[in-house]
Amino acid sequence: MSPNESRNQTLAARDLRHLWHPCTQMHDHAGAVPLLPIVRGEGPWLVDADGRRYLDGISSWWTNLFGHANPRIGAALKEQLDTLEHVIFAGFTHEPAIELAERLAAITPAGLERVFLADNGSAAIEVALKMSFHYWLNQGRGQKTRFIALSGSYHGETLGALSVSDVALYRKTYAPLLLTPILAPSPDAYEAEAGESAEAYAARRLGDLRALLEQHAHETCAVIVEPLVQCAGGMRTYHPSYLTGLRALCDEFGVHFIADEIAVGFGRTGTLFACEQAGVSPDFMCLSKGLTGGFLPLSAVLTTEPVYEAFYAEYNAGKAFLHSHSYTGNPLACRAALATLDIFRDEPVLERNRVLAAQLARRLAPLREHAHVADVRQTGMIAAVELVRDKATRAPYPSEERRGLRVYLHGLEHGALLRPLGNVVYFMPPYVVSTDELDHLVDVAIAGIERAIAQP
Ligand SMILES: Cc1ncc(COP(=O)(O)O)c(C=O)c1O
């Protein structure tokens, strides 16, 4: 360490000597984009090695619900650490997993009684896809091998999850390795005709889905969707009636409905689970991210008794579901999840979020008039501002201009972690953010937007 080097610089240099980060062109860190070593978290704040503080406006990739280093979740983990850190989950079980399954079955939509654990969101998607396919195989319907996904969807980046994703940035390069999904046009309300309501647009898109099912249901295992908000695809939102219609179509055509609530679950959209707003129960529900309050990797796939029954047979029938990860059902992660559910049980989380969401809506509303804003949209504790080069035509800024990155860098300079998705500046803060902190986040974002569009 040279005498003039800050602790941030020293740690970043050590990191860059060996580490390779996700979702990153590492070359960026040789130039204008800092790599920030975080040494501590306090509620919604992150503190770097030089003592600078950043308000975590995106809940650290949408995982953190109740603040960093949350004492209640931390205390549960400390106790679990002294009791049982891990045990093989085949042939063995433990109370944290048992209680977690009981409680998830109780709080998720009706009919989801069976819980399969995995250790991250993409793994949950792999489980749901394989389980759906295998269900049909066990029913003598082995010709069902395909999946319907929505345009603009994102379900993770392992090969199966990426196969049912449609965000070019992640998919394009690896396309030769992937399964080919059947893409149904998204009900994304941003794409509605002028004067067409989100509900009318959703109905139109259900018509497209019906046409696809008429053609492909015989070879289709499931339709997979992100309920209400397509997050990585740009925080695009759609009307709940699409989910109601989707449930009906899946029943009519005999295909499964997979709800990927990995990003939208646990209160993000205003209800505990997004599917509740449409009053539907999917055949599979995938959960992760907020499941442990952002503490540890864990995921769960919930499904129905009939799906479970299709696998339940004498050993030599060869019907067992095979998908195993070494850390399946890790007791520490389950314990963090239980502590997270305790907070939902004991505190008025959704009520508090309604107040914060209303504040966010109020503060962002004036941006609708902005000459370079095409859309301000919000579903509960997810809000997004879509920047465009031309408001009249909605022509986007070319991605090479990296306008979103300018907002990101402005945020870091001013104590906020905002991480736009291309030209979409979004807010997905931890639920423990105060009204002043939320104002700070919006103030920094607005100033960042002005700066990002002012430069050529
Ligand atoms: C809707 C959705 N599904 C799946 C995933 C994948 O989860 P993970 O990053 O834990 O693999 C994500 C991650 O952002 C997501 O937003």
Side-chain angles (χ1 to χ4, degrees):
M1 177 174 171
S2 83
N4 298 327
E5 211 171 64
S6 74
R7 233 179 107 56
N8 270 6
Q9 286 168 328
T10 308
L11 286 169
R14 279 176 58 198
D15 174 295
L16 292 172
R17 174 70 188 84
H18 293 288
L19 283 164
W20 192 341
H21 289 260
C23 209
T24 301
Q25 170 47 265
M26 293 302 291
H27 182 268
D28 275 357
H29 289 315
V33 183
L35 176 66
L36 285 173
I38 296 300
V39 294
R40 210 170 57 249
E42 293 170 6
W45 293 91
L46 296 164
V47 185
D48 77 15
D50 290 341
R52 293 173 56 103
R53 294 161 66 81
Y54 310 88
L55 188 63
D56 187 352
I58 60 158
S59 298
S60 282
W61 263 340
W62 323 337
T63 60
N64 193 289
L65 303 186
F66 300 120
H68 294 281
N70 178 287
R72 189 161 179 189
I73 303 173
L77 271 176
K78 283 172 195 154
E79 195 191 79
Q80 187 62 41
L81 263 176
D82 288 333
T83 315
L84 177 67
E85 83 302 334
H86 188 59
V87 60
I88 177 175
F89 205 58
F92 293 80
T93 191
H94 52 81
E95 200 163 350
I98 295 167
E99 186 183 338
L100 181 61
E102 288 168 349
R103 290 175 68 178
L104 287 177
I107 61 173
T108 48
L112 297 170
E113 298 291 332
R114 293 285 167 179
V115 183
F116 192 95
L117 298 174
D119 53 15
N120 64 75
S122 300
I125 299 298
E126 303 290 337
V127 167
L129 299 177
K130 284 174 67 178
M131 211 179 250
S132 172
F133 161 77
H134 199 163
Y135 167 89
W136 294 114
L137 184 69
N138 284 350
Q139 302 289 91
R141 306 281 303 276
Q143 77 282 15
K144 279 180 175 276
T145 55
R146 303 192 68 189
F147 296 92
I148 296 180
L150 297 182
S151 58
S153 59
Y154 178 94
H155 298 288
E157 291 174 55
T158 52
L159 293 179
L162 193 57
S163 289
V164 289
S165 298
D166 181 47
V167 178
L169 174 67
Y170 306 109
R171 185 188 173 93
K172 203 173 51 191
T173 311
Y174 306 102
L177 304 181
L178 305 177
L179 306 170
T180 309
I182 299 161
L183 275 188
S186 167
D188 169 9
Y190 187 72
E191 302 294 342
E193 298 292 331
E196 186 179 30
S197 71
E199 189 168 7
Y201 188 62
R204 195 143 66 79
R205 288 316 189 197
L206 280 170
D208 297 319
L209 181 60
R210 168 178 286 282
L212 283 174
L213 285 165
E214 278 165 358
Q215 202 187 336
H216 294 289
H218 68 283
E219 55 173 348
T220 299
C221 301
V223 182
I224 180 167
V225 302
E226 294 161 88
L228 297 188
V229 188
Q230 295 187 286
C231 293
M235 300 297 165
R236 295 295 183 90
T237 59
Y238 62 90
H239 196 272
S241 58
Y242 187 82
L243 298 174
T244 320
L246 170 61
R247 176 68 275 177
L249 285 173
C250 286
D251 289 342
E252 181 181 338
F253 285 92
V255 302
H256 288 139
F257 168 8
I258 302 174
D260 174 355
E261 294 231 12
I262 287 164
V264 296
F266 296 103
R268 266 294 156 202
T269 65
T271 41
L272 193 54
F273 299 103
C275 281
E276 290 171 30
Q277 294 183 42
V280 294
S281 292
D283 300 295
F284 299 90
M285 181 181 268
C286 301
L287 303 173
S288 188
K289 292 192 184 273
L291 172 59
T292 61
F295 266 63
L296 283 168
L298 178 68
S299 59
V301 179
L302 284 97
T303 190
T304 62
E305 209 57 43
V307 168
Y308 181 80
E309 287 297 327
F311 292 81
Y312 194 83
E314 181 274 320
Y315 181 85
N316 286 324
K319 289 188 168 181
F321 182 62
L322 293 176
H323 187 100
S324 14
H325 292 293
S326 314
Y327 284 97
T328 297
N330 175 261
L332 290 164
C334 291
R335 204 49 203 276
L338 290 172
T340 302
L341 295 185
D342 287 347
I343 297 175
F344 275 105
R345 183 195 58 205
D346 298 342
E347 297 182 22
V349 178
L350 298 180
E351 287 85 335
R352 214 165 49 206
N353 281 359
R354 271 196 276 284
V355 177
L356 291 169
Q359 181 190 351
L360 205 46
R362 221 170 28 246
R363 288 296 321 276
L364 296 179
L367 283 172
R368 289 211 165 83
E369 309 310 319
H370 195 288
H372 288 282
V373 171
D375 193 26
V376 176
R377 50 184 175 264
Q378 183 174 358
T379 303
M381 286 290 277
I382 306 175
V385 178
E386 180 122 8
L387 306 182
V388 284
R389 186 172 51 74
D390 186 315
K391 193 175 176 102
T393 63
R394 287 183 159 186
Y397 285 110
S399 61
E400 306 79 66
E401 291 178 6
R402 304 184 78 182
R403 305 259 169 186
L405 178 64
R406 299 178 195 178
V407 178
Y408 172 74
L409 294 173
H410 175 88
L412 295 184
E413 274 174 38
H414 294 86
L417 167 48
L418 296 158
R419 203 171 189 279
L421 295 155
N423 293 320
V424 177
V425 180
Y426 73 90
F427 305 84
M428 210 154 158
Y431 303 161
V432 292
V433 78
S434 72
T435 52
D436 285 349
E437 288 164 340
L438 197 55
D439 273 337
H440 166 70
L441 200 61
V442 175
D443 289 341
V444 174
I446 291 174
I449 288 170
E450 292 304 344
R451 201 165 149 192
I453 61 179
Q455 299 153 5

